[in-house]
Amino acid sequence: MTVQQQTRGRERIARAFAQARQSRTAAFMPYFTLGYPDPATSLEVVAALAEHSDLLELGVPFSDPIADGPTIQHSTQVALEQGMTTRGCLELVRALRGRGIETPVMLMGYVNPILAYGPEAFFQDAAAAGVDGLIVPDLPPEEAGELATLAEDAGLALIYFLAPTSNPERIRLVAGRAQGFIYLVSITGITGTREADESELAGLIDRVRGLTTTPLAVGFGINTPARAAAVGRLADGVIVGSAIIKVVGQAETGRQVEAAGSFARELAESLRI
């Protein structure tokens, strides 16, 4: 793999945050579970989200999503029942790229499916499909080891998490290894269960920014345009997941794509006010 290929994903992510910064706005990164409510519809939903997004976080369904709340857990279970697989997720990303959509793609998944696929093959296939980075909630930097090396060799950014409970040692460790951006968890708990605490979040952002210039994107607890706007005034990026899944789940059959696109537009516009 050439040097250019080895840096492609990280450069695309950096460019997305830089462009948002130049526009004096936070980057918008919606999350959506691949395969929900079925593979074909999920591809259309993601394409609609991409029209209003700076980056995309796409979930790889897994039977034990420990970081996810009830809404995303339900979506992953439905996707699995629809026959969604890790390889199928990569094919959907490839199809997205085939449509000319160039928005940076972050795959969010867990370690077990990567190990089952075969780590080296997974990272190489992900890069070939058009993935730019990986968000792996159950892979702390202390245990990343070989997987971090394989991701780097494939040109993929491996994203690490920090939370309000992270101690100074953990913050320094993540700041030193960060690629692409750092994922800040705004609450203590799982996704989609309660709103972000802005004062607590502001303190975390201040502590992390004192150690790194890497962009900081905030997820968990952001469920409305107003909440997105509030977090966007503090952070470099805003991640919304459960609320988008709910909008799609509550939409009438045949209207899911329209509903997702409309909500994404509201969220994106809220960051630009």
Side-chain angles (χ1 to χ4, degrees):
M1 181 171 290
T2 67
V3 173
Q4 182 178 8
Q5 289 172 316
Q6 287 179 320
T7 60
R8 174 187 56 81
R10 294 190 290 274
E11 288 179 350
R12 284 164 61 104
I13 295 167
R15 189 159 55 246
F17 279 100
Q19 290 172 347
R21 191 179 304 114
Q22 289 171 3
S23 299
R24 298 183 182 277
T25 183
F28 174 48
M29 189 186 321
Y31 165 94
F32 197 76
T33 304
L34 291 172
Y36 176 77
D38 59 74
T41 301
S42 72
L43 178 61
E44 299 303 326
V45 167
V46 171
L49 295 175
E51 292 183 18
H52 308 287
S53 307
D54 299 290
L55 304 96
L56 294 164
E57 181 186 355
L58 306 181
V60 178
F62 178 51
S63 58
D64 189 22
I66 59 173
D68 297 313
T71 299
I72 294 180
Q73 285 184 17
H74 172 71
S75 71
T76 61
Q77 183 60 39
V78 170
L80 290 171
E81 292 171 355
Q82 289 288 320
M84 204 62 205
T85 64
T86 302
R87 191 174 299 278
C89 289
L90 298 184
E91 288 305 314
L92 286 181
V93 174
R94 190 183 299 277
L96 196 69
R97 295 304 190 207
R99 295 185 177 200
I101 295 172
E102 298 183 355
T103 310
V105 167
M106 315 301 302
L107 275 191
M108 197 292 277
Y110 295 84
V111 169
N112 277 358
I114 295 174
L115 298 179
Y117 192 103
E120 185 171 1
F122 172 79
F123 287 114
Q124 293 296 327
D125 289 353
V131 173
D132 298 291
L134 278 297
I135 299 171
V136 188
D138 58 345
L139 184 65
E142 298 92 339
E143 300 175 11
E146 178 187 1
L147 296 184
T149 300
L150 291 172
E152 184 170 2
D153 289 345
L156 302 176
L158 186 58
I159 307 302
Y160 297 114
F161 289 78
L162 287 172
T165 54
S166 296
N167 60 35
E169 182 181 358
R170 167 54 67 88
I171 293 175
R172 284 193 296 271
L173 176 62
V174 169
R177 298 189 184 182
Q179 299 175 344
F181 65 91
I182 297 173
Y183 195 130
L184 299 187
V185 177
S186 67
I187 61 174
T188 303
I190 55 178
T191 61
T193 54
R194 60 188 180 90
E195 292 185 344
D197 183 322
E198 290 172 38
S199 60
E200 189 174 49
L201 177 60
L204 174 61
I205 288 174
D206 286 344
R207 283 182 286 151
V208 180
R209 278 194 169 141
L211 295 172
T212 182
T213 59
T214 301
L216 308 180
V218 176
F220 291 47
I222 305 170
N223 52 16
T224 66
R227 298 298 301 173
V231 173
R233 288 191 287 269
L234 300 171
D236 302 300
V238 175
I239 303 169
V240 181
S242 296
I244 294 173
I245 298 291
K246 286 181 180 179
V247 164
V248 171
Q250 293 169 359
E252 297 178 8
T253 301
R255 301 291 298 275
Q256 296 105 322
V257 176
E258 178 185 350
S262 177
F263 188 45
R265 183 175 60 252
E266 290 181 40
L267 289 164
E269 289 177 350
S270 76
L271 298 178
R272 291 163 173 78
I273 295 175

